[in-house]
Amino acid sequence: DALWLNPNKGQWDNRIQYEVKANAGAVFVENDGWTYVFHDAGHDHHEVSSHEHNNGQIKYHAVCSKFLGVNENSIRQETMPSQHYNNYFLGSNPTGWKSNVFSFQQVVYQNYYEGIDYILSTSNRQLEYQFLLAPSANPDLIKRSFKGADQVLIDKNGDLIVKTSLGEVRESKPKAFELSENGRKEIKVEFKLKKGILSFYFPDGYD
């Protein structure tokens, strides 16, 4: 099934901007990052072993990932809207009930860092992000932290692995392209992890 960015119209905590439902939990998008919330109901993760069954209780694990130093007043542009809508009747207070809430498959945060737009997308049936840099922008500004993970590492393939008690999140090795009048040229880029802070490293530099 398709994934959607479900906007917060007042049905959740005001720090949450979007919710993305996943097989074994959800991702809650905030202005400066997102929080993964995993659960073991149904034991969807093959990494969960039998001794983690907790007397019928559902086990949760949350990991918070933040982009550091972002523009708190970044303007959001929502695109690729759904034709369906959701209704939320949460709790007993009708002020928290929201109807006819349409979802989106892409959100652009303009000038998230100086000269850098941040794009969240679910169009490939997974939550993806990318950055669009103006010619004068500095990719070294993009830094990301993690809280709540059991371990964060970069594997031999260059993928980012975020391990939790209920499985792991894998982000594929990054790709970068330079756009010009001559078309699109791929630039070598890697994840860099230093003292728990993730950034991008360009072995051959960039223009």
Side-chain angles (χ1 to χ4, degrees):
D1 294 341
L3 292 183
W4 296 93
L5 289 149
N6 303 310
N8 186 6
K9 298 297 183 180
Q11 71 271 29
W12 300 309
D13 184 287
N14 60 15
R15 292 171 294 182
I16 298 170
Q17 295 179 342
Y18 302 93
E19 174 217 42
V20 180
K21 294 180 180 177
N23 287 336
V27 180
F28 295 97
V29 178
E30 303 170 29
N31 187 69
D32 58 350
W34 56 79
T35 299
Y36 310 93
V37 179
F38 303 95
H39 61 71
D40 68 348
H43 307 286
D44 295 303
H45 288 287
H46 68 273
E47 293 87 355
V48 178
S49 58
S50 59
H51 68 268
E52 288 175 316
H53 292 241
N54 193 11
N55 298 325
Q57 296 182 352
I58 298 175
K59 183 177 179 181
Y60 291 89
H61 193 131
V63 176
C64 185
S65 178
K66 297 288 188 183
F67 288 105
L68 307 178
V70 304
N71 176 10
E72 296 182 357
N73 299 312
S74 177
I75 297 174
R76 282 179 284 151
Q77 181 181 9
E78 298 169 335
T79 61
M80 303 173 65
S82 64
Q83 296 189 2
H84 68 272
Y85 59 82
N86 296 312
N87 297 318
Y88 298 90
F89 302 102
L90 306 176
S92 58
N93 188 346
T95 60
W97 298 354
K98 303 297 174 182
S99 302
N100 301 335
V101 179
F102 288 85
S103 302
F104 302 90
Q105 287 196 310
Q106 183 169 283
V107 179
V108 179
Y109 289 73
Q110 299 176 344
N111 207 38
Y112 196 61
Y113 291 98
E114 186 175 355
I116 302 175
D117 290 347
Y118 165 52
I119 304 169
L120 272 177
S121 172
T122 61
S123 56
N124 292 325
R125 297 188 178 183
Q126 58 185 356
L127 182 62
E128 299 177 335
Y129 67 96
Q130 58 181 304
F131 294 97
L132 183 62
L133 281 70
S136 60
N138 181 7
D140 294 340
L141 294 173
I142 304 170
K143 298 182 186 300
R144 187 171 154 204
S145 67
F146 299 88
K147 183 179 180 181
D150 290 346
Q151 188 179 12
V152 180
L153 58 92
I154 298 171
D155 72 5
K156 62 182 181 180
N157 298 316
D159 296 349
L160 175 71
I161 310 296
V162 180
K163 294 189 175 184
T164 79
S165 61
L166 298 176
E168 64 182 33
V169 175
R170 177 182 296 269
E171 292 185 17
S172 299
K173 181 180 178 179
K175 295 181 178 180
F177 301 93
E178 181 181 84
L179 304 179
S180 68
E181 296 177 354
N182 299 321
R184 190 173 78 162
K185 174 186 174 183
E186 186 166 0
I187 301 172
K188 189 174 182 180
V189 62
E190 302 171 357
F191 283 128
K192 178 182 177 181
L193 188 63
K194 185 176 181 180
K195 295 183 179 180
I197 302 299
L198 185 75
S199 59
F200 296 105
Y201 170 60
F202 295 83
D204 301 328
Y206 54 85
D207 294 329

